Amino acid sequence: MQENREKEDRMVYREKEYKCGIDATLAVVGGKWKASILWHLSQRTMRFSDLQRQFSGTTRKMLTQQLRELETDGLVHREVYPQVPPKVEYSLTAKGTTIIPILDQMCAWAKEYLQ
Amino acid sequence: MQENREKEDRMVYREKEYKCGIDATLAVVGGKWKASILWHLSQRTMRFSDLQRQFSGTTRKMLTQQLRELETDGLVHREVYPQVPPKVEYSLTAKGTTIIPILDQMCAWAKEYLQ
DNA sequence: CTCTTATGTTACAAAAAAGGTACTACGTAC
DNA sequence: GTACGTAGTACCTTTTTTGTAACATAAGAG
């Protein structure tokens, strides 16, 4: 634990500089729907319409946008099936699965400490 | 791990509803400077001017704002010394220290997976 | 032809977050 | 009585994020 904090340990990711990796991680999962999307995809591959159903409070546009960013960051895989009407499936990449334990911890922390 | 995900497990915190605790946690530490502030305070108590020095890229106003929110959420303690010129010290509360391991993990994750 | 369906995109509007600058308070030292 | 120093607050602007509504596509069914 202590070894993470010896120095400032700033980092750069996608052209932006972050003070310590925490901010970089938050940049990746901090979008309004990203954490939930990752969490749902950790349970099963879903197609776009499945996600729309899960996130009935949002719009196609937001979902697409968040998914594209997650894809860009390499956490989510997007598989397009060449059919009409379209079929697109989203799933976690190996890298995407590595962040799930952290999300689980955040979930547990909220349950224990936020009321 | 699996037990966190049996149901939707939405939660309410400070009048807002979150899909699963992850979003609630992000609401608490997701501000632009909050994670860094917590991380610095986990190392030592600091007075306002110390924080200003650490976060030279921001303004008094932003710092105050973020600190107040952290205080409201019970993660940070604000101790005012009745002297002139003023002296105010910030430190983590017990609750505040409980989130540090998660921040450390985020830091480690970024180092390992983001480049 | 026209309608349906799934997965988008685009242009625009609204809301939220962050930033900038100036002003305050008040004991102390000069 | 004027300037100093810390820790703010008030007001306003800019930037970023989120939301809304309309349009796009193209195979297959009728």
Side-chain angles (χ1 to χ4, degrees):
Chain A
M1 222 157 262
Q2 201 59 24
E3 70 274 10
N4 284 337
R5 13 181 103 165
E6 274 151 7
K7 266 298 160 210
E8 272 301 313
D9 89 330
R10 297 163 183 283
M11 68 171 291
V12 173
Y13 176 64
R14 296 199 191 290
E15 324 265 297
K16 290 187 183 170
E17 192 186 349
Y18 300 94
K19 329 174 50 65
C20 87
I22 304 170
D23 294 329
T25 300
L26 286 173
V28 168
V29 302
K32 185 155 178 190
W33 308 93
K34 287 182 184 175
S36 287
I37 290 173
L38 291 170
W39 190 85
H40 279 284
L41 291 183
S42 75
Q43 308 201 286
R44 60 187 180 86
T45 292
M46 298 176 87
R47 46 189 300 192
F48 188 80
S49 49
D50 294 329
L51 288 165
Q52 269 194 103
R53 229 163 286 128
Q54 286 297 327
F55 299 94
S56 52
T58 189
T59 59
R60 271 195 300 284
K61 185 202 146 200
M62 281 306 295
L63 266 187
T64 306
Q65 192 176 299
Q66 303 277 297
L67 285 164
R68 284 294 144 77
E69 290 175 17
L70 289 170
E71 192 192 2
T72 299
D73 287 324
L75 304 189
V76 159
H77 172 70
R78 177 168 177 265
E79 179 85 32
V80 181
Y81 294 83
Q83 344 175 320
V84 171
K87 174 179 170 182
V88 180
E89 281 187 346
Y90 292 93
S91 54
L92 288 194
T93 61
K95 180 174 169 184
T97 62
T98 62
I99 207 171
I100 297 298
I102 297 181
L103 299 184
D104 279 334
Q105 276 199 272
M106 290 200 278
C107 194
W109 186 84
K111 275 189 187 164
E112 184 155 1
Y113 296 103
L114 301 183
Q115 293 311 325
Chain B
M1 221 154 264
Q2 200 59 23
E3 69 273 10
N4 285 336
R5 13 182 104 165
E6 275 151 7
K7 266 298 161 209
E8 270 302 312
D9 89 330
R10 298 165 183 280
M11 67 172 292
V12 173
Y13 176 65
R14 298 200 189 289
E15 324 265 296
K16 289 187 184 171
E17 193 186 348
Y18 299 94
K19 331 174 50 68
C20 87
I22 304 170
D23 294 329
T25 299
L26 286 173
V28 168
V29 302
K32 184 155 178 189
W33 308 93
K34 288 181 183 175
S36 286
I37 290 173
L38 292 170
W39 189 86
H40 279 284
L41 291 182
S42 76
Q43 308 201 285
R44 59 186 181 88
T45 293
M46 297 176 89
R47 44 187 302 192
F48 188 79
S49 49
D50 293 330
L51 288 165
Q52 268 194 104
R53 229 162 287 125
Q54 286 298 327
F55 299 93
S56 52
T58 189
T59 58
R60 272 195 298 286
K61 188 201 143 201
M62 280 307 294
L63 266 185
T64 305
Q65 190 177 300
Q66 304 276 297
L67 285 164
R68 285 294 143 79
E69 290 175 16
L70 290 169
E71 193 192 0
T72 300
D73 287 324
L75 304 190
V76 159
H77 173 70
R78 177 170 178 264
E79 180 85 30
V80 181
Y81 295 84
Q83 41 182 55
V84 170
K87 174 178 170 183
V88 181
E89 281 187 346
Y90 291 92
S91 55
L92 287 193
T93 62
K95 180 174 169 185
T97 62
T98 61
I99 208 171
I100 297 298
I102 296 180
L103 299 185
D104 280 333
Q105 276 199 272
M106 289 200 280
C107 195
W109 187 83
K111 275 190 189 165
E112 185 155 1
Y113 295 103
L114 301 184
Q115 292 314 323

